[in-house]
Amino acid sequence: NLNELNRRLNTAYAEISREYEFITHVNSRVKPILLSEVMSYMHITGVYSFFTGEANINVNFPDYTIPYTAAHELAHQRGIAREDEANFVAFLVCINSDDPYIRYCGYLNAYEYVANALYRADKELYYKAVAHLNTEVKAEMAAYNDFYDKYRESTVSEVSGTINNSYLQSQGTPGTVSYGMVVDLTVAYYKAQE
């Protein structure tokens, strides 16, 4: 449940903040968005309100996306403003959790970003990589696509996306493409581990 997820993510944040000084350790929580179905049509999985300091998540999305999204919004709450950096911190927090499901969620969400970048760069190599995925993971990703079909094309998502892109650009980022820039950070992280 969400309370247990909050507890486990706070524990993971406490651990990771020991290794990375820029990640602040505070006990906080994410809150479910009451209008999650509406937010799904807007393609919004979470939102941080800097007015109230609240991290909010869309609980309508498939389960494996929720821990990563929660960790992302909690990163904003800890002062990580840029979307790519919040995604990367979410990845670090999730993969360093003592909970195997949260680790899985971190890896799978990062995989999706990397796989999408690979698809744009080299479709043949992308399909070779996908062929090596575990059957259950492929099924989970297919279930996500089935879920998302209902929300994929909507006027409200186009308007929401334009507003979000403009907001992010006004903050000095490249806009919504910055979410996917987590790929560069993830690759650099793994190259530094070699």
Side-chain angles (χ1 to χ4, degrees), residues 81-138:
R82 292 179 58 100
E83 297 303 335
D84 55 333
E85 293 170 358
N87 272 341
F88 184 67
V89 167
F91 170 68
L92 287 177
V93 167
C94 288
I95 68 168
N96 285 285
S97 171
D98 61 359
D99 182 279
Y101 186 69
I102 292 174
R103 286 194 307 272
Y104 165 78
C105 295
Y107 283 117
L108 185 52
N109 279 270
Y111 168 79
E112 289 177 331
Y113 279 110
V114 172
N116 286 336
L118 179 60
Y119 182 82
R120 287 189 298 276
D122 186 334
K123 288 183 176 100
E124 185 178 326
L125 188 56
Y126 165 84
Y127 286 114
K128 285 180 184 177
V130 168
H132 294 287
L133 280 178
N134 177 293
T135 303
E136 288 83 6
V137 172
K138 287 180 188 176

Side-chain angles (χ1 to χ4, degrees), residues 145-156:
N145 281 328
D146 290 344
F147 158 82
Y148 198 67
D149 279 344
K150 177 179 177 181
Y151 308 103
R152 195 172 310 279
E153 303 294 330
S154 69
T155 302
V156 72

Side-chain angles (χ1 to χ4, degrees), residues 11-161:
T11 299
Y13 262 105
E15 289 299 315
I16 204 79
S17 69
R18 291 186 184 115
E19 187 174 348
Y20 301 101
E21 292 178 6
F22 68 92
I23 300 175
T24 308
H25 171 60
V26 294
N27 280 322
S28 59
R29 60 190 285 266
V30 291
K31 295 170 61 177
I33 296 171
L34 294 176
L35 299 173
S36 287
E37 177 83 6
V38 172
M39 299 297 266
S40 296
Y41 282 103
M42 297 170 74
H43 298 180
I44 297 174
T45 57
V47 63
Y48 172 70
S49 171
F50 57 88
F51 294 115
T52 62
E54 292 178 329
N56 303 280
I57 59 168
N58 178 341
V59 292
N60 186 48
F61 268 70
D63 289 345
Y64 82 91
T65 67
I66 292 177
Y68 182 85
T69 301
H72 172 100
E73 298 307 330
L74 290 171
H76 286 318
Q77 199 173 50
R78 286 158 173 78
I80 310 296
R82 292 179 58 100
E83 297 303 335
D84 55 333
E85 293 170 358
N87 272 341
F88 184 67
V89 167
F91 170 68
L92 287 177
V93 167
C94 288
I95 68 168
N96 285 285
S97 171
D98 61 359
D99 182 279
Y101 186 69
I102 292 174
R103 286 194 307 272
Y104 165 78
C105 295
Y107 283 117
L108 185 52
N109 279 270
Y111 168 79
E112 289 177 331
Y113 279 110
V114 172
N116 286 336
L118 179 60
Y119 182 82
R120 287 189 298 276
D122 186 334
K123 288 183 176 100
E124 185 178 326
L125 188 56
Y126 165 84
Y127 286 114
K128 285 180 184 177
V130 168
H132 294 287
L133 280 178
N134 177 293
T135 303
E136 288 83 6
V137 172
K138 287 180 188 176
E140 185 143 47
M141 293 172 72
Y144 176 88
N145 281 328
D146 290 344
F147 158 82
Y148 198 67
D149 279 344
K150 177 179 177 181
Y151 308 103
R152 195 172 310 279
E153 303 294 330
S154 69
T155 302
V156 72
S157 71
E158 291 175 23
V159 172
S160 172

